[in-house]
Structure formats: C-alpha cells, structure tokens
C-alpha cells in the first residue's frame, strides 16, 4: 500500500528541486576542491583521450612526412609510455606548465625595445600601455591559459601543485628580468622595501585578474577616462590617452612601486 506523504514531506516544487540540485552540485565542488587524486588532476584534461591523441599524432606524422599512407599511431604505442590515463595526464600537465612558463611570445622584442624607446623619448605611459594590453590580449586569446585556470580546481593534488610551481617560478624569473630592464631603461628604482619580484607579482595579478574578468564582461574593462581598452597605444609615440583599466592599473602600479633614481 502506498504511503501518503506526512506533514512537511509533500512533493517538491520545481523550484525546490532546482535549489536542491544546485546545493548538491555546490557540495560536490566543495568536496572536490579539497581532495587530491587522479580524478581531480584529470578534470581539466578529461577531454584529451588516448584515442584522440593517437589519431592526432597520426595526422601530424602524415603531414610532416607528406606520406598519407604512413603507419597509424595506435593507442598501444601510448600505453607503452604511460600505463594509465592519469600517468599520461600527469606528464601532460607538466608539459603544459613548461609551455606556459615563458613570457608572452614576442615580448623579448619588447624588452629589447625598452632602451630604444627610452632613448627616443617615448613616454613610459606609452610603453606600459603597449606592454600591458599586448600581454592581456595574449592571455585572453590563449586556449592553454584557460586550461591552466582549470588546473587551479585541482591545486590540492601534489602533482598539480608541482606543475603550477614549476611554471610559476620560471615565468616570474623571466618577468623579473623584463621589469628590471624597463626600470633601468627609464632610470627608475623600486621604493624600499619592495623588490622586483613584488612588482612582478602585483602586475601579473592585475593582468591575470583582468583576463578572468574579461571572460565574463569585456565592457567592464573600459576606462571612462581612457576610451576603448582594446586600443593599443601607439609604440611610435602616439597619444597614450586611450588606456583601458588594465593599462591604467599597470601604470599606477609601476608609478606606486618606483621612484626616479
């Protein structure tokens, strides 16, 4: 015989069911954020399966050799290197970290350009506008950066922490050298007690945070005093007035952390 619902045990409304499922999902996210393990580590890489890797590797070999009949790469070849999917994902995670540990492609040209720009009398505001907007654009268009953001969900896992730490230290060391070159070119020094690493981290936090914000609402980065944030300042010496909030924030950070020599 079917039991009738007792007091307070009636059928849930659609809204109550929705709230229940959302609470359950949030509980799962909270639980997962505090755990380590293969399932946590692989979450951001779950779409990369052995079969897909083998198929793409075959395409690469045939394209590079110009032989459409080149032998197919099989998943068996992959299993000889990585016995399990998590083993492969751990290596892939470190590989992505190594790729992302370098500064923005082409930034070396900008670093070499610092001294030339200073010698030509190009204002620091123009250099910083070009630099910050270029870096910001790179990260918001870089698909691997989005993968990296997914890694943060699994930052409790020691393998994820290892990959992130490896990427972080290499990136920060390169960025330190870039900022040192800029300060030297414009005869600036850090205000005590700050070090170059403090400036590097402050600027990186500003730009990365702005990228995350941009994903949700690009219009929010427009500066009422500076125009469209997508407009790069002219590196040849144009008006730096078209700053977005990213460029203006970086400019204020540099001005706040430094003083003339």
């Amino acid at each position: 015989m079917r039991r009738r619902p007792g007091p307070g045990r009636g059928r849930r409304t659609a809204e109550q069911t929705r709230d229940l499922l959302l609470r359950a999902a949030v509980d799962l996210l909270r639980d997962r954020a505090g755990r380590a393990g293969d399932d946590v580590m692989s979450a951001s890489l779950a779409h990369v399966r052995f079969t897909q890797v083998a198929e793409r590797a075959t395409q690469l070999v045939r394209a590079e050799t110009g032989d459409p009949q080149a032998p197919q790469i099989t998943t068996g070849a992959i299993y000889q290197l990585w016995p399990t999917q998590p083993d492969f994902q751990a290596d892939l995670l470190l590989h992505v970290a190594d790729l992302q540990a370098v500064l923005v492609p082409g930034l070396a040209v900008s670093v070499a350009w610092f001294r030339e720009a200073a010698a030509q009398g190009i204002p620091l505001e123009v250099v910083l506008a070009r630099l910050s907007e270029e870096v910001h654009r790179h990260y918001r268009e870089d698909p691997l950066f989005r993968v990296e953001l997914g890694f943060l969900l699994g930052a409790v896992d020691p393998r994820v922490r290892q990959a992130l730490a490896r990427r972080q230290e290499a990136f920060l060391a390169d960025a330190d050298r870039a900022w040192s070159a800029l300060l030297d070119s414009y005869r600036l020094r850090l205000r005590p007690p700050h070090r170059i690493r403090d400036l590097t981290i402050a600027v990186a936090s500003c730009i990365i945070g702005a990228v995350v914000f941009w994903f949700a609402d690009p219009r929010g980065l427009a500066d009422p005093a500076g125009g469209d944030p997508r407009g790069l300042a002219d590196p040849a010496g144009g008006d730096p007035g078209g700053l977005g909030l990213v460029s203006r924030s970086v400019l204020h950070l540099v001005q706040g952390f430094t003083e003339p020599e």
Side-chain angles (χ1 to χ4, degrees):
M1 184 175 176
R2 198 171 170 185
R3 288 182 62 184
R4 291 186 178 181
R9 294 179 59 185
R11 179 175 296 179
R12 295 183 187 86
T13 65
E15 188 63 25
Q16 288 172 329
T17 300
R18 177 179 178 277
D19 288 344
L20 174 64
L21 294 174
L22 289 175
R23 283 194 293 111
V26 170
D27 278 352
L28 288 173
L29 289 174
R30 284 175 176 156
D31 176 63
R32 182 174 172 274
R35 289 189 291 114
D38 291 344
D39 59 328
V40 175
M41 181 199 68
S42 65
S44 298
L45 307 173
H47 62 289
V48 183
R49 312 303 299 178
F50 277 176
T51 52
Q52 296 172 313
V53 172
E55 181 180 348
R56 179 57 59 89
T58 300
Q59 293 172 356
L60 291 174
V61 168
R62 290 175 177 175
E64 290 170 0
T65 62
D67 179 7
Q69 303 303 319
Q72 182 177 2
I73 305 297
T74 66
T75 55
I78 301 177
Y79 278 113
Q80 290 180 2
L81 298 171
W82 298 283
T84 68
Q85 185 83 20
D87 290 330
F88 166 72
Q89 288 166 334
D91 257 8
L92 178 58
L93 181 62
L94 291 171
H95 180 64
V96 169
D98 287 340
L99 290 176
Q100 295 296 90
V102 298
L103 292 180
V104 173
L107 186 59
V109 176
S110 296
V111 171
W113 176 69
F114 290 156
R115 292 189 185 280
E116 181 182 346
Q120 292 176 1
I122 297 177
L124 177 64
E125 291 86 350
V126 173
V127 174
L128 289 174
R130 175 186 177 183
L131 183 65
S132 55
E133 297 293 352
E134 182 178 320
V135 173
H136 184 262
R137 178 190 56 77
H138 169 78
Y139 280 118
R140 70 181 187 241
E141 295 177 359
D142 180 13
L144 281 185
F145 178 71
R146 298 190 183 219
V147 174
E148 275 195 293
L149 290 179
F151 291 162
L152 296 178
L153 294 175
V156 171
D157 188 283
R159 290 165 295 184
V160 178
R161 286 203 308 272
Q162 177 189 2
L164 291 175
R166 183 158 140 179
R167 181 252 200 242
Q168 189 87 326
E169 185 51 42
F171 170 83
L172 291 176
D174 278 351
D176 285 348
R177 286 189 286 271
W179 284 113
S180 294
L182 177 69
L183 299 190
D184 288 345
S185 298
Y186 280 84
R187 299 186 179 278
L188 298 171
R189 65 185 179 194
L190 288 161
R191 298 179 188 271
H194 292 110
R195 304 162 303 158
I196 196 69
R197 178 59 56 90
D198 299 320
L199 176 61
T200 295
I201 291 176
V203 173
S205 299
C206 173
I207 293 178
I208 291 171
V211 172
V212 174
F213 191 96
W214 188 92
F215 289 152
D217 182 15
R219 295 171 300 178
L221 296 179
D223 183 354
D228 189 335
R230 292 171 298 179
L232 286 177
D234 182 0
D239 180 7
L243 300 180
L245 287 180
V246 178
S247 300
R248 197 171 297 282
S249 298
V250 171
L251 172 61
H252 288 319
L253 280 172
V254 172
Q255 290 175 333
F257 273 81
T258 65
E259 59 188 11
E261 284 186 343

